[in-house]
């Protein structure tokens, strides 16, 4: 809660649309009618402030704090390593806290449901679920199954195991935690109870300048108000703001995060400091809604008893319109077991969607009436309510009436709609009947918390005892602007028998009636049309199965083939195993083989002191502060006197000249201080990329000018800035014909290549190799391979000499291509800067969320024409970065610094989520073409690769990225004759930048796709082709760097064993033979990852250590805490080097004032190079203290320090690490490009739904060669988090742009990252034992980026499942699957009769054989 009055910073502003959950708080209210206190989690970014009257708002500070004590929820999350960057952690705490306030002993399913509205980009979620298993009761059988089956009967049962249902992590023993203390629960303020009772009949009115909020206490008064103000909207939860992605009521979305209300200091300091009473609020000026209209009156009917009614009648359940969706779910869950099964079909269909609809925060606030009346096309419940013939109970001043919630109501037909003065009071949801069948369907990009691509409700009523259709209703959402009904089709089918002929006719009729034009809004036209008939087919089979259950002697049982089409894929509760090796450390001579730690207990290594923290799973130093909200990020810093805010004006053109900028109207806006443009920059306006656009813009989102003042006023001013453009032709894509116009392959010679051009050429002229002869095949006399890379401003190449072999008869070659989309970094903390100019000497303090403090210092100093020593940059922690905060924060720092320099006032600049995604760029989209020559035993003998990445409008990190792509493209595959040509194209999109792995995940997927192509051509198992081509023993890379592949093979064999690969593969094949419409796949993927950078200066690091007279130690270094636990590892190392308790050691923020000229923290080497510098400083200090220690060997640390001070011995030391010696000399064609290599293998198993394209991750086993990890808890957390992030890249995250170059996916509502439902049900991580790394400190390895690529094992497992489907359908097995493998791509690759129904003429199908 970021309030200038109370300074509660735990609640974070993440997205503003309720999609990430970072702003979760608990809202508690007293119901004077039911005499109960209700606790609900809520997205504070959506919650109307006036609706908080009489409510208690509990933030994370109210749950527990370091003083006086933390809550068990916080303790368990921290000690189970459930936080990394920590930005999302308070929301996780609040979600579980709200759950436990309502359910003291929840089920694990309820725990997962409570967390499905909160996103985490760092941890991979496994550690979070582990943290909260101890709060859950033992698992019970699920109650709801569309097929009537129990989840315990499934083959991959997640509820049963040898441990009684729960496999606990070796990193988290929840049995050691103390139980929940009931006294830690805050008491609901009695004054609020009294207020609710006293105001039970009082009308609450809040007046703003232009808007009045009215909360009537009775239905009669509401109807009077509605009659007086017929156009006044009714607002309950206001969640449609987030679900639509539009701020319909900006004046209502003045979030709890920014409450400007006077709260007494006494309340802040009391035990109830987080319970805030809001008796009054004055609105700001209201904004227009999406219709362009203002609402001078808003009605809030939440206190009306009739609108909260829950009753049972002879016809069904009556639910009040103001009941929230979570309440509806609980009501139905309670009702279903009590009613006859034939009556509950509608309720079970609703519950199916209520499991996945939005997140728990939205479900807890969104009302049933609001969901119905907003009539969104993708609203999941409305089609079910409509086909079930639900009744809306309406009321107005003139009386009451009932209308059907039917397709005409949903379409907004006037005769079937509400009248202007009417309100929905309640909804009658009828019971189903014996011969009734109702089904609900939806398919979204993600399993949960995602808007549907297509949803549907279907109902059929048969003549009793027959299969003759009496009534039929089919509705679809996601197809048009409203929910559409196939009314005409249904009418034609009445009287027909429920058989295959009817299905043929139904598919034809539906596709004719529900027409989706090729240019339909939202795209995915073929996929959405396929879902129309896929859902209908599944409904057909569900009804047949139901008829068989009712009349087994009359209706035939479904075949196993058709049974496989029933049921949706549902992920179970994730279980985890982590196995790692403890070690002896602090002496290079004590590397003893140690015992593997089991998942239940720790076995100490002989010779290692129990107090020695190195190699042990020590909790993150900031873990507790993460969970209590006391960890401070840039946006949490208390406002400075005179502080201004910035709002940016961004270009709306992808490529255009700036004719004029008119800021005159902006300067007239009250509160606006100034407008800052490029003309206000005293020095250099950025370098490769301009901070402020000057003469032209080269992408949508480029910053033109900034308006400075309070954020609200600055935004108003920014809207008034007028810019005139002159359009220029933009280049947006790197399409095939632009990159490779001749599509021909070249001989392995570079002498005929066209003249080298500058680093960037336009995409349309990229790699134009006209005039060169093509190579029709790769021949046996190939003796050289060419490695081409763009470096600096030239095209360089490396020729690798190879010995020709007599047994080198290449008889087969295969060609193909791969497209990969980009990926958003989606760090939870957006880019933020606080600049505080000092009074004298033109000094500036810069607080920046960055990975590269030195770069910020350099850019700002250059922009202000100052020496570097006048700019002080501080970074305490960063709320996620993933290489996305290396270059961009420096530009934002320049923008803020120039504004501060001009106004001489502090400036705070924090990008909102949509603006951050619009401006900052992302990972490079990739396109590659390959031609591979191989023998019939699968051995690859030659390969020719052409690779291109979309660099965007400036170079940024693209040069380094393309170099690494070319150097790393072989992955673990030893290709004797290899040519790689790489290029970064310049386009008019925001400049793309580095991401975790520096393009290795793209390169690795590319070469593994080639492996699949070879395996497909030869008919060999994929794992055998990988084995035969993997590096073996001591070997050379294509650039002549020597390495030993022994650990690569150890990881491979260990993963085969741990995953029980061959047995699992046999089970997968057996499953696939029995299931036509669902398929499983399995894949095992090796990895050779080169750690670090290919130049020595990137690896340098510095440290500064002070020992104070009391013996305490202050450690500073050049690395930045990004969530990877670098400070935690530095404290462990300092203990080991100085031999003092961890409690003596403190690490403060990273600053350019203590460690100058640091390199950026990235490339997996941040910890180890800074650790070397810290070690160096510690050793220097020990040299200073050595004489003192020798004179008093039995003395204490404090005695030695005191004596050293008396003897004037320096107790401060600077440590320095020059860096690993690396180089890549393109002239000599040789290099030691990387310090060392890291190996790993992942095996993943998945299941796909061939009818919808949905998939679930069943199991993943990862074996990593991490050598002796300094902190296994942190490293395993990094492995899991990066793996899930990789799963997002390869299967989920998709970016869309408009034809004009504007990004359309600008928040969690439109851009989906993995959620808690996307992690494998069994997630096992093993660190390879008895491994050594003589290069890095303490024989460790940097695992920060490598495991990202292992997420591709899920990609190839899905491909394996798709291949099984295609094989059974008689389709070609050589096919292209691009990344990400979204539901659309999976479904359309499983080509069948339904995907072919593109027009009615193709709708004749035969289903006797499926």
């Amino acid at each position: 809660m970021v309030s200038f009055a109370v300074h509660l910073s735990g609640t974070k502003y993440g997205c503003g649309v309720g999609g990430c959950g970072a702003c979760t708080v608990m809202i508690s209210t007293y119901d004077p009618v039911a005499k109960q206190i209700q606790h609900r989690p809520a997205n504070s970014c959506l919650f109307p402030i006036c609706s908080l009257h009489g409510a208690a708002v509990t933030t994370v500070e109210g749950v527990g704090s370091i003083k006086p004590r933390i809550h068990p929820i916080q303790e368990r999350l921290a000690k189970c390593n459930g936080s990394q960057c920590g930005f999302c952690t308070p929301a996780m705490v609040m979600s579980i806290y709200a759950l436990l306030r309502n359910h003291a002993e929840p089920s694990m399913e309820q725990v997962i449901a409570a967390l499905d509205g909160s996103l985490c980009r760092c941890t991979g979620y496994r550690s979070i679920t582990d943290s909260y298993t101890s709060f859950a009761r033992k698992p019970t059988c699920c109650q709801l199954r569309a097929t009537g089956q129990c989840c315990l009967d499934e083959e991959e049962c997640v509820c049963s195991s040898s441990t009684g249902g729960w496999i606990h992590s070796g990193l988290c023993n929840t049995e050691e935690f103390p139980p929940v203390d009931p006294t830690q629960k805050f008491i609901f303020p009695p004054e609020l109870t009294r207020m609710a009772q006293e105001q039970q009949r009082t009308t609450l009115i809040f007046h703003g300048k232009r808007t009045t909020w009215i909360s009537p206490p009775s239905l009669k008064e509401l109807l009077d108000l509605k009659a007086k103000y017929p156009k006044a909207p009714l607002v309950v939860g206001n969640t449609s703001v987030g679900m639509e992605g539009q701020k319909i009521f900006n004046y209502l979305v003045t979030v709890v995060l920014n409450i400007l209300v006077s709260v007494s200091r006494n309340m802040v300091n009391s035990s109830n400091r987080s319970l805030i009473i809001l008796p009054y609020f004055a609105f700001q000026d209201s904004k227009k809604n999406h219709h362009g209209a203002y609402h001078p009156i808003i009605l809030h009917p939440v206190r009306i008893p009739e609108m909260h009614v829950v009753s049972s009648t002879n016809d069904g359940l009556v639910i009040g319109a103001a009941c929230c969706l979570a309440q509806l779910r609980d009501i139905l869950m309670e009702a279903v077991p009590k009613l006859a099964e034939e009556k509950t079909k509608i309720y079970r269909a609703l519950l199916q969607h209520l499991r996945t609809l939005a997140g728990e925060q939205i479900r807890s606030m969104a009302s049933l009436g609001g969901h119905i009346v907003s009539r969104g096309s993708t609203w999941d419940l409305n089609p079910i309510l409509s086909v079930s013939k639900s009744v809306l109970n309406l009321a107005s001043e003139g009386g009451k009436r009932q209308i059907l919630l039917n397709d005409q109501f949903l379409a907004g037909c006037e005769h079937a709609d509400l009248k202007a003065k009417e309100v929905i009071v309640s909804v009658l949801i009828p019971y189903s009947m014996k011969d009734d069948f109702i089904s609900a369907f939806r398919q979204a990009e993600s399993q949960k918390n995602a808007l549907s691509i297509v949803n549907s409700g279907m109902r059929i009523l048969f003549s009793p005892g027959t299969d003759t259709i009496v009534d039929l209703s089919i509705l679809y959402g996601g197809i048009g602007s409203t929910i559409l009904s196939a009314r005409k089709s249904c009418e034609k089918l009445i009287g027909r028998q429920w058989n295959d002929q009817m299905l043929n006719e139904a598919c034809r009729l539906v596709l004719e009636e529900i027409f989706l034009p090729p240019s339909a809004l939202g795209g995915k036209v073929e996929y959405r049309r396929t879902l129309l008939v896929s859902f209908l087919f599944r409904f057909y089979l569900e009804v047949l199965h139901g008829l068989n259950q009712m009349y087994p002697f009359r209706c035939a049982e479904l075949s196993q083939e058709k049974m496989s089409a029933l049921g949706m894929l549902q992920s179970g509760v994730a279980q985890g195993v982590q196995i790692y090796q403890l070690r002896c450390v602090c002496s290079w001579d004590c590397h003893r083989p140690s015992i593997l730690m089991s998942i239940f207990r720790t076995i100490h290594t002989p010779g290692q002191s129990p107090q020695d923290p190195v190699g042990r799973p020590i909790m993150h130093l900031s873990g507790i502060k993460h969970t209590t909200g006391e960890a401070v990020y840039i946006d949490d810093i208390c406002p400075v006197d005179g502080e201004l805010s910035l709002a940016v004006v961004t270009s709306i053109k992808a490529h255009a000249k700036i004719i004029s900028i008119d800021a005159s109207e902006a300067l007239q806006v009250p509160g606006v201080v100034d407008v800052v443009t490029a003309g206000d920059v005293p020095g250099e306006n950025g370098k490769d990329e301009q901070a402020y656009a000057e003469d032209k813009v080269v992408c949508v989102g480029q910053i033109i000018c900034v308006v400075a003042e309070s954020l609200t006023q600055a935004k108003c001013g920014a809207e008034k800035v007028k810019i005139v453009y002159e359009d220029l032709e933009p280049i947006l894509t790197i399409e095939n014909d632009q990159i490779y116009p001749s599509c021909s392959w070249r001989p392995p010679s570079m002498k005929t290549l066209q003249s080298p051009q500058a680093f960037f050429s336009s995409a349309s002229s990229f790699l134009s190799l006209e005039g060169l002869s093509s190579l029709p095949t790769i021949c046996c006399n190939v003796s050289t391979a060419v490695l081409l890379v763009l470096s600096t401003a030239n095209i360089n190449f490396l020729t690798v000499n190879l010995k020709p072999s007599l047994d080198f008869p290449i008889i087969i070659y295969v060609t193909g291509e791969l497209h990969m989309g980009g990926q958003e970094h989606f760090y939870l903390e957006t880019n933020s800067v606080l600049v505080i100019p000092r009074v004298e000497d033109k000094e500036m303090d810069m607080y920046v969320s960055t990975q590269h403090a030195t770069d910020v210092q350099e850019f700002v100093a250059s922009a202000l024409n100052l020496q570097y020593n006048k700019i002080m940059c501080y970074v305490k922690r960063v709320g996620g970065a993933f290489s996305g905060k290396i270059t961009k924060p420096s530009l934002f720092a320049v923008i803020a610094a120039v504004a501060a320099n001009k106004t001489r006032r502090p400036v705070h600049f924090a990008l909102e989520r949509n603006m951050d995604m619009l401006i900052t760029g992302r990972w490079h989209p990739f396109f590659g073409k390959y031609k591979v020559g191989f023998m019939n035993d699968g051995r690859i003998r030659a390969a020719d690769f052409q690779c291109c990445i979309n660099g965007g409008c400036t170079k940024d990190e693209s040069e380094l990225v393309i170099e690494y792509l070319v150097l790393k493209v072989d992955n673990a595959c030893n290709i004797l004759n290899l040519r790689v040509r790489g290029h970064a194209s310049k386009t008019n999109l925001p400049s793309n930048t580095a991401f975790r792995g520096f393009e290795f995940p793209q390169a690795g997927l590319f070469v593994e796709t080639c492996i699949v192509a070879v395996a497909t051509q030869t008919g060999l198992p994929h794992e055998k082709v990988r084995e035969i081509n993997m590096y073996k023993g001591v070997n050379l890379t294509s650039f002549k760097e020597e390495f030993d592949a022994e650990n690569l093979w150890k990881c491979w064999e260990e993963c085969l064993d741990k995953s029980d690969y061959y047995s699992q593969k046999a089970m997968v094949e057996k499953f696939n033979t029995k299931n036509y419409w669902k398929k499983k796949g399995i894949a095992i993927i090796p990895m050779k990852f080169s750690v670090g950078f290919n130049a020595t200066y990137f690896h340098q690091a510095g440290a500064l250590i002070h020992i104070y007279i009391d013996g305490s130690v202050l450690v500073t270094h050049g690395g930045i805490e990004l969530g990877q636990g670098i400070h935690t590892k530095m404290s462990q190392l300092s203990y080991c080097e100085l031999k003092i308790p961890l409690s003596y050691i403190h690490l403060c923020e990273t600053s350019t004032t203590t460690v100058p000229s640091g390199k950026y923290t990235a490339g997996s080497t941040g910890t180890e190079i800074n650790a070397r510098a810290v070690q160096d400083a510690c050793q220097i200090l020990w040299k200073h203290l050595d004489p003192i220690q020798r004179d008093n060997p039995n003395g204490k640390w404090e005695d030695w320090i005191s004596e050293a001070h008396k003897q004037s011995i320096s107790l401060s030391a600077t440590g320095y690490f020059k860096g690993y010696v690396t180089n890549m000399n393109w002239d000599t064609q040789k290099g030691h490009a990387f310090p060392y290599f890291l190996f790993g293998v992942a095996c993943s198993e998945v299941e796909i739904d061939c009818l919808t394209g949905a998939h679930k991750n069943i199991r993943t086993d990862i074996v990593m060669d991490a050598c002796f990890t300094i902190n296994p808890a942190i490293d395993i957390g990094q492995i899991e988090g990066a793996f899930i992030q990789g799963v997002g890249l390869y299967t989920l995250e998709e970016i869309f742009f408009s034809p004009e170059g504007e990004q359309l996916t600008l928040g969690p509502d439109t851009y989906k990252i993995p959620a808690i439902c996307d992690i494998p049900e069994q997630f096992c991580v093993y660190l390879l034992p008895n491994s050594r790394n003589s290069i890095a400190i303490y024989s460790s390895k940097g695992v920060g980026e490598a495991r990202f690529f292992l997420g591709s094992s899920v990609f190839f497992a899905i491909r394996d499942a798709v291949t099984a489907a295609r094989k059974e359908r008689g389709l070609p097995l050589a096919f292209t699957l691009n990344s990400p493998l979204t539901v659309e791509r999976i479904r359309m690759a499983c080509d069948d009769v339904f995907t072919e129904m593109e027009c009615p003429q193709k709708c004749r199908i035969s289903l006797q054989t499926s």
Side-chain angles (χ1 to χ4, degrees), residues 31-52:
D31 184 349
V33 177
K35 300 188 184 307
Q36 291 180 341
I37 299 171
Q38 299 174 340
H39 306 287
R40 297 179 291 174
N43 293 118
S44 56
C45 69
L46 299 179
F47 213 72
I49 199 73
C50 289
S51 63
L52 291 176

Side-chain angles (χ1 to χ4, degrees), residues 1145-1162:
I1145 301 167
H1146 175 66
L1147 285 96
C1148 67
E1149 75 239 0
T1150 303
S1151 170
T1152 55
T1153 62
T1154 54
V1155 179
S1157 306
K1159 297 304 294 181
Y1160 50 72
T1161 303

Side-chain angles (χ1 to χ4, degrees), residues 649-651 690 692-693 696-704 919:
V649 180
T650 56
S651 62
Q690 293 179 338
Y692 294 89
K696 68 175 182 178
V697 294
V698 290
C699 69
V700 172
Q702 189 175 5
I703 295 171
I704 298 172
I919 295 171

Side-chain angles (χ1 to χ4, degrees), residues 293-608:
Y294 291 102
H295 294 296
I297 302 293
I298 294 175
L299 304 179
H300 184 53
V302 75
R303 298 188 301 134
I304 298 172
E306 292 89 338
M307 300 187 78
H308 289 277
V309 67
V310 177
S311 63
S312 176
T313 70
N314 293 332
D315 298 321
L317 296 178
V318 177
I319 310 294
C323 287
C324 68
L325 300 183
Q327 187 179 356
L328 173 64
R329 176 197 60 201
D330 295 341
I331 292 167
L332 297 180
M333 286 287 289
E334 184 179 353
V336 165
K338 297 178 181 179
L339 296 170
E341 184 177 353
E342 65 183 36
K343 289 186 173 184
T344 63
K345 298 172 185 177
I346 297 170
Y347 304 151
R348 283 184 284 144
L350 288 169
L351 281 168
Q352 183 176 315
H353 278 350
L354 286 167
R355 283 183 56 256
T356 58
L357 191 150
E360 188 67 14
Q361 297 93 324
I362 297 291
R363 292 192 292 264
S364 296
M365 306 313 300
S367 66
L368 175 61
H371 186 92
I372 291 171
V373 80
S374 56
R375 289 178 270 210
S377 176
T378 55
W379 274 208
D380 292 333
L381 302 186
N382 285 348
I384 311 169
L385 294 171
S386 177
V387 298
S388 63
K389 301 188 184 305
S390 295
V391 177
L392 301 180
N393 295 312
L394 310 181
S396 66
E397 190 181 36
K400 300 178 181 179
R401 72 182 182 110
Q402 294 181 329
I403 63 172
L404 279 178
L405 198 172
N406 57 17
D407 55 336
Q408 294 177 327
F409 169 84
L410 294 176
C413 298
E414 185 176 352
H415 68 277
D417 205 351
L418 281 74
K419 297 177 181 177
K421 298 180 181 181
E422 287 181 325
V423 299
I424 301 175
V425 178
S426 61
V427 183
L428 169 65
I429 308 176
Y431 299 130
S432 55
M433 296 179 286
K434 181 179 179 181
D435 294 288
D436 225 358
F437 293 91
I438 296 96
S439 291
F441 306 102
R442 76 184 297 269
Q443 187 56 55
E445 294 290 356
S446 183
Q447 290 185 38
K448 295 184 179 180
N449 200 18
L451 293 176
S452 299
I453 300 171
V454 176
N455 60 39
S456 181
M458 300 185 187
R459 172 186 173 271
I460 189 168
L461 177 65
F462 292 111
S463 176
T466 72
D467 64 351
T468 302
I469 302 172
V470 173
D471 191 20
L472 178 64
S473 299
I474 300 174
L475 270 72
Y476 292 104
I479 301 298
S481 58
T482 62
I483 291 172
L484 302 179
S485 171
R487 176 186 284 262
K488 295 179 182 178
S489 302
C490 294
E491 289 173 352
K492 292 180 180 179
L493 295 171
I494 290 176
R496 297 282 296 271
Q497 305 298 305
W498 194 253
N499 52 33
D500 291 350
Q501 290 73 28
M502 183 282 308
L503 177 61
N504 276 285
E505 183 71 7
C507 290
R508 182 185 65 81
L509 291 171
V510 165
L511 287 178
E512 286 178 348
E513 184 173 2
I514 309 296
F515 177 68
L516 199 63
S519 59
L521 187 66
K524 307 179 191 295
V525 172
E526 291 184 8
Y527 176 58
R528 287 193 282 170
R529 287 177 60 84
T530 300
L531 286 180
L532 294 179
V533 287
S534 295
F535 287 165
L536 183 55
F537 174 61
R538 177 163 282 165
F539 178 60
Y540 168 75
L541 295 180
E542 287 182 359
V543 172
L544 283 181
H545 180 67
L547 288 172
N548 171 257
Q549 298 293 307
M550 293 171 58
Y551 310 109
F553 300 106
R554 183 176 302 167
C555 301
E557 186 176 354
L558 289 182
S559 65
Q560 175 68 33
E561 193 175 86
K562 293 181 179 179
M563 282 292 293
S564 67
L566 302 183
M568 301 288 193
L569 296 181
Q570 298 178 8
S571 295
V573 178
Q575 305 169 347
V577 176
Q578 304 82 42
I579 297 180
Y580 58 93
Q581 187 175 24
L582 290 177
R583 52 157 314 182
C584 179
V585 78
C586 297
S587 170
W588 288 101
D589 299 325
C590 59
H591 292 306
R592 306 179 185 178
S594 61
I595 303 172
L596 286 181
M597 174 176 170
S598 76
I599 59 176
F600 295 112
R601 59 195 179 96
T602 303
I603 302 174
H604 298 289
T605 302
Q608 183 177 12

